[in-house]
């Protein structure tokens, strides 16, 4: 009995098929941003959007196909934990960047009242 | 037998379930740690102090190679888990060994990159940008190194203890850790390497 497979532990587990699908998607979502930066002649702004979009989608692919995060009930606490973490990260990253971009902007001699992000 | 045995099995499952969830909470705190290191890097990423920029330092095909090592290792770890659920000890060991070598390939490439930069005088003391770079990429690399050490220990445990419930529970947690490090790496190659070259 000690060798019995463990199941329904809240960790979830995939199959050969889901791992291969996840791998295929991850390769495509890695090749796209590298190719965009190395070979494309798009305006820089569009390349940045493309690169970040690929990263966000690839993170979701990893969470779904490799970490098996989904909306099933035995995953609900894991999802709640990652949702709270996402809020903390948004506050830390967003807050720090906001403060530092504003600081950088107002340290320059030509600072205007509208502010760099239009937020005053 | 019967009811008593099933009860013991349920109890074991609950213990594994709790430890897996507890480890997930640890990973979430590690996410916040990485978020702070990422934002530190981004804030300092233009402070070159007259030193080299990301565009001059980063080699994208090289970073792509590192990325592929880590991505392949994520999938081979997945195969080790599938073998574990089938109860096939030999295959678990084989896939863990493959994963270990791929992870070692990644960390060797990273160390090679770091030593090359430091030898050329572009170490973490060169500029704030490079301090941020070594802190962020180094923190990830340190995690991967600890993951490799843990994997070596788990290979030893699978060999000596077999696929007991405890060993399976540990393999599950290492699986989460290893996949998590690959997710963090997506952020690293996007924010550091791709954005660095694009500037």
């Amino acid at each position: 009995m000690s060798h019995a497979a463990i199941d329904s532990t809240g960790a979830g587990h995939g199959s050969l098929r889901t791992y291969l699908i996840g791998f295929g998607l991850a390769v495509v979502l890695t090749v796209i941003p590298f190719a965009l930066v190395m070979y494309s002649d798009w305006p820089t702004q569009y390349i940045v959007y493309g690169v970040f979009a690929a990263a966000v989608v690839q993170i979701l692919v990893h969470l779904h196909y490799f970490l098996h995060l989904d909306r099933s009930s035995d995953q609900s606490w894991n999802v709640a934990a990652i949702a709270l973490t996402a809020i903390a990260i948004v506050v830390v990253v967003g807050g720090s960047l906001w403060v530092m971009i504003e600081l950088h902007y107002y340290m320059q001699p030509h600072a205007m009242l509208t502010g760099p992000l239009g937020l005053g | 037998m019967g009811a008593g045995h099933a009860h013991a099995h349920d109890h074991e499952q609950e213990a594994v379930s709790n430890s897996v969830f507890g480890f997930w909470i640890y990973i979430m705190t590690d996410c916040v740690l990485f978020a702070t290191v990422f934002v530190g890097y981004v804030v300092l990423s233009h402070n070159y102090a007259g030193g080299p920029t990301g565009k001059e330092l980063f080699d994208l095909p090289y970073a792509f190679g590192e990325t592929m090592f880590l991505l392949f290792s994520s999938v081979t770890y997945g195969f080790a888990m599938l073998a574990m659920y089938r109860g096939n000890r030999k295959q678990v060991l084989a896939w863990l060994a493959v994963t270990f070598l791929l992870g070692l390939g990644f960390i060797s490439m990273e160390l090679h990159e770091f030593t090359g930069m430091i030898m050329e005088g572009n170490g973490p003391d060169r500029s704030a940008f490079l301090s941020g770079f070594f802190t962020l990429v180094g923190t990830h690399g340190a995690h991967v190194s600890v993951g490799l050490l843990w994997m070596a220990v788990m290979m030893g445990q699978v060999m000596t203890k077999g696929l007991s419930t405890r060993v399976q529970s540990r393999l599950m947690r290492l699986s989460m850790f290893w996949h998590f490090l690959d997710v963090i790496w997506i952020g690293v190659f996007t924010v550091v390497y791709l954005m660095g070259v694009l500037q």
Side-chain angles (χ1 to χ4, degrees), chain A residues 1-9 11-16 19-20 23 26-27 30-31 33-34 37-38 44 47-48 51-52 55 58-59 62 66-67 69 77-78 81-82 85 88-89 92-93 96-97 100, chain B residues 5 9 13 16-17 20-21 24-25 28 31-32 35-36 39 42-43 60-61 63-64 67-68 71-72 74-75 78-79 81-82 85 163-165 168-169 172 176 179 182-183 186 189-191 194-195 197-198:
Chain A
M1 206 52 202
S2 65
H3 283 237
I6 299 174
D7 45 39
S8 64
T9 52
H13 60 88
S15 62
L16 181 62
Y19 276 112
L20 290 177
F23 177 68
V27 168
T30 303
V31 169
F34 273 89
V37 173
M38 289 165 75
T44 308
I47 296 180
V48 171
V51 165
F52 275 97
Q58 186 172 183
I59 286 170
H62 280 237
F66 296 160
L67 282 160
L69 213 57
W77 283 104
N78 297 25
I82 202 173
T85 308
I89 289 174
V92 169
V93 174
S96 303
L97 292 182
M100 294 311 291
Chain B
H5 200 114
H9 187 62
Q13 294 249 345
V16 172
S17 178
V20 164
F21 180 62
W24 180 251
I25 299 291
M28 293 301 102
C31 273
V32 176
T36 59
V39 85
V42 172
V43 163
L60 285 189
F64 185 79
T67 306
M68 285 299 121
L71 183 55
F72 268 98
S74 237
V75 178
F79 293 163
M81 291 302 283
L82 293 177
Y85 290 121
L163 297 174
S164 67
T165 305
Q168 289 194 48
S169 167
M172 280 180 181
M176 292 157 74
H179 291 311
D182 202 7
V183 173
I186 299 170
F189 80 67
T190 301
V191 172
L194 294 177
M195 287 302 118
V197 168
L198 209 53

Side-chain angles (χ1 to χ4, degrees), chain A residues 20-103:
Chain A
L20 290 177
I21 293 173
F23 177 68
L25 289 172
V27 168
V28 171
L29 289 163
T30 303
V31 169
I32 290 174
F34 273 89
L36 275 179
V37 173
M38 289 165 75
Y39 305 117
S40 105
D41 48 8
W42 290 7
T44 308
Q45 195 186 3
Y46 292 133
I47 296 180
V48 171
Y49 291 153
V51 165
F52 275 97
V56 170
V57 176
Q58 186 172 183
I59 286 170
L60 294 177
V61 164
H62 280 237
L63 290 179
H64 181 75
Y65 289 101
F66 296 160
L67 282 160
H68 317 299
L69 213 57
D70 57 42
R71 288 202 232 165
S72 65
S73 61
D74 62 336
Q75 289 280 310
S76 59
W77 283 104
N78 297 25
V79 174
I82 202 173
L84 270 169
T85 308
I87 293 170
I89 289 174
V90 167
V91 171
V92 169
V93 174
S96 303
L97 292 182
W98 183 9
V99 167
M100 294 311 291
I101 290 170
E102 294 264 327
L103 178 69

Side-chain angles (χ1 to χ4, degrees), chain B residues 146-157:
Chain B
V146 170
L148 286 175
L149 181 65
W150 187 359
M151 214 176 289
V153 171
M154 287 319 299
M155 283 191 273
Q157 291 198 353

